[in-house]
Amino acid sequence: MACSSGDRDNFVLSGATPRTGKACMTIDERTDHRLPPVVDLMPPGARLDGERLVIGGQLASELADSFGTPALIIDEVALRARARRYADGLAARWPNSQVVWASKSLPCTAIYRIMGEEALGIDVAGGGELVMALAAGADPSRFVLHGNAKTDSELAMALEAGVGTVVIDNLDDVERLERLSSREQGVLIRVIPDVATATHDAIATGHQNSKFGLLIPEARALIERLRGSDRLRLDGLHVHIGSQILDVAPFARAVEAIAALGEFEVYDLGGGLGARYTYDDHPPSIESYLDTLTEAARRFLPSSARLLIEPGRSMIAETGVTLYRVVSVKRGATRTFVAVDGGMGDNLEVSLYGQRFEATMADRVGGGESYTVVGRHCESGDQLIESVALRDPAVGDVLAVAVTGAYCLTMANNYNGALRPPIVLVAAEGARLALRRETYEDLLGRDAAPPPPS
Ligand SMILES: Cc1ncc(COP(=O)(O)O)c(C=O)c1O
């Protein structure tokens, strides 16, 4: 069954597996050691139907048949549960608060809609994310606009849309906003706390030389400057120290650092909590992260302050799985390559940060020999997983790569003319297309050159 954009709001696969009548295991049985460990990295609720992977009640290989490959599958039930866990957890610890989803982690109108329905605020960085958030019908008064290079036109769009908060990254933002705004606009100042984090350099943002935000002395001067502004209402401070952070201590240090700038009504403490990509990753739980933030806030910030947080990766990464089809299996000098129909066109996390992913054959979960999973693009660096155990991969089989919900589709590109993959939402009612696959017509659709003479 092929899907087109016309299927967008229809559930096209339904009926919970198993269909074979074999015993199925549920999330509650995950500690059952008979379950291959890779299932533990799949979205909560993933289980086996015999040896076949079931995500969100659907057989992974049937999802691949229905929607094609590569495809990003997001478990909507798991995503909503995580949004609620964040929102309820923060509200219980600090009632005057708001969870703001960092939409760069998976910008797709259907996901903005889900987050809006869960009453989350939305962090948008730039005009494109703003357009999608508005198209989803989310409440712009709960939007937080970010960016270290916001243009006049993006700021004008945000002001026009009634975005609640603009985060000031530099003095040029101030000049632009004062020129463009016709009424009072709430702003926060992004502060560099000078806090080191044990994450990849490309996603560390809390250090002195970060391109994001202002150093403490500059922030202090800007606070004074904004106190005299008749257009910009300085509500408070923002800090974000990086992404895929697997230790809570730096988050507390960042709170302490910005507290030195005085007392404000609002503190946005950013995102950054890591996801569990591999068996060896042990990220702090959402609850222990929230405990750390709110304990630091109780120590260092005014008790009346409003707290915002902006989770992205930790909200959505673990709810996503990418399905590929094996195109070739080839023996090399020291390894055997499994080449799939995607790669760095839909997952740049490996080449940009060296992120490790785990995977399994969708219909033979667990066990097997070591293979190198490579993509279809013209770079030797286009390698999805250097070494992963797979059971008897063969041409035409479906490979499921776990924990691809965040920042994979975000950075999808058209390298080698690849078509950017669809996003499929799975829930109890079935599976539905949230974003269709790009087409060759889409690729040609931006051509501005005149067609060749006929
Ligand atoms: C300002 C800001 N807030 C929040 C986030 C979300 O971070 P994460 O996805 O690591 O939670 C980012 C991501 O880089 C960011 O730049």
Side-chain angles (χ1 to χ4, degrees):
M1 177 185 2
C3 291
S4 69
S5 54
D7 294 313
R8 189 166 295 231
D9 283 314
N10 299 324
F11 288 93
V12 297
L13 272 181
S14 60
T17 49
R19 301 190 176 135
T20 61
K22 288 183 190 164
C24 273
M25 293 188 181
T26 68
I27 181 66
D28 302 317
E29 296 168 289
R30 279 178 168 209
T31 45
D32 185 332
H33 296 299
R34 288 169 302 171
L35 208 56
V38 70
V39 179
D40 221 16
L41 295 175
M42 297 293 166
R47 61 177 196 257
L48 295 189
D49 176 355
E51 298 193 315
R52 307 176 76 188
L53 179 64
V54 177
I55 313 163
Q58 314 296 323
L59 280 168
S61 52
E62 284 192 356
L63 289 169
D65 291 344
S66 299
F67 295 95
T69 53
L72 174 62
I73 313 298
I74 297 287
D75 184 326
E76 183 177 344
V77 176
L79 180 58
R80 286 187 187 271
R82 243 173 136 73
R84 282 173 206 168
R85 195 167 148 197
Y86 253 120
D88 295 348
L90 183 60
R93 288 165 177 80
W94 198 281
N96 185 13
S97 60
Q98 173 75 59
V99 176
V100 176
W101 172 56
S103 70
K104 65 203 78 178
S105 55
L106 187 59
C108 160
T109 308
I111 310 287
Y112 285 95
R113 192 171 300 133
I114 290 171
M115 294 304 182
E117 285 167 3
E118 296 298 334
L120 266 51
I122 312 274
D123 149 4
V124 291
E129 290 182 2
L130 175 58
V131 164
M132 284 185 271
L134 291 171
D139 174 2
S141 70
R142 290 190 178 160
F143 293 2
V144 178
L145 177 71
H146 280 286
N148 68 312
K150 307 177 201 74
T151 62
D152 273 20
S153 69
E154 287 172 321
L155 285 171
M157 278 168 73
L159 295 171
E160 164 84 24
V163 164
T165 303
V166 176
V167 177
I168 290 178
D169 179 89
N170 49 61
L171 279 173
D172 303 295
D173 275 347
V174 175
E175 180 278 317
R176 286 194 173 93
L177 275 173
E178 286 187 331
R179 179 164 43 80
L180 294 167
S181 54
S182 51
R183 55 185 156 72
E184 189 181 67
Q185 173 63 48
V187 298
L188 305 176
I189 297 175
R190 179 161 179 169
V191 179
I192 297 177
D194 192 16
V195 167
T197 45
T199 191
H200 194 283
D201 283 353
I203 47 176
T205 55
H207 55 283
Q208 291 272 24
N209 265 323
S210 173
K211 72 167 184 170
F212 301 102
L214 292 166
L215 295 163
I216 298 266
E218 273 72 31
R220 194 167 274 130
L222 186 56
I223 289 166
E224 287 315 307
R225 157 92 165 72
L226 285 178
R227 290 216 158 112
S229 174
D230 59 351
R231 295 281 158 85
L232 307 184
R233 187 189 67 242
L234 178 59
D235 290 333
L237 305 178
H238 172 276
V239 69
H240 171 72
I241 58 175
S243 197
Q244 188 54 14
I245 296 167
L246 298 172
D247 166 22
V248 289
F251 294 111
R253 287 202 289 276
V255 175
E256 182 175 4
I258 61 169
L261 284 163
E263 297 203 346
F264 296 87
E265 279 175 30
V266 180
Y267 293 85
D268 182 335
L269 304 179
L273 179 64
R276 182 166 185 244
Y277 285 92
T278 74
Y279 310 118
D280 296 333
D281 284 341
H282 299 289
S285 65
I286 289 175
E287 289 71 23
S288 106
Y289 166 68
L290 294 176
D291 280 344
T292 301
L293 289 183
T294 52
E295 276 160 23
R298 257 182 276 287
R299 250 184 101 190
F300 300 113
L301 305 181
S303 57
S304 59
R306 181 164 174 75
L307 283 195
L308 310 185
I309 58 168
E310 300 172 334
R313 190 183 297 273
S314 60
M315 181 75 81
I316 200 162
E318 295 171 23
T319 71
V321 178
T322 302
L323 302 178
Y324 298 97
R325 217 167 267 282
V326 174
V327 178
S328 162
V329 181
K330 183 170 71 176
R331 191 167 289 284
T334 59
R335 51 179 73 184
T336 301
F337 296 105
V338 171
V340 297
D341 54 0
M344 65 193 300
D346 56 81
N347 184 341
L348 274 176
E349 292 244 297
V350 186
S351 359
L352 285 181
Y353 328 137
Q355 181 60 57
R356 160 89 197 172
F357 287 86
E358 302 291 348
T360 179
M361 302 316 297
D363 284 344
R364 288 181 299 285
V365 175
E369 306 294 316
S370 171
Y371 292 87
T372 298
V373 179
V374 294
R376 48 149 299 197
H377 299 281
C378 296
E379 310 250 338
S380 292
D382 178 29
Q383 183 171 284
L384 282 170
I385 313 178
E386 192 183 346
S387 169
V388 63
L390 300 175
R391 190 133 52 94
D392 305 326
V395 171
D397 285 349
V398 175
L399 179 85
V401 177
V403 198
T404 55
Y407 300 108
C408 291
L409 258 275
T410 300
M411 293 186 265
N413 58 78
N414 296 121
Y415 187 19
N416 296 133
L419 303 175
R420 284 178 291 177
I423 298 176
V424 176
L425 295 176
V426 287
E429 306 90 312
R432 66 182 166 119
L433 198 58
L435 182 71
R436 68 164 170 81
R437 185 183 309 285
E438 251 177 349
T439 62
Y440 292 127
E441 289 71 35
D442 291 331
L443 278 191
L444 297 174
R446 295 193 306 146
D447 282 352
S454 50

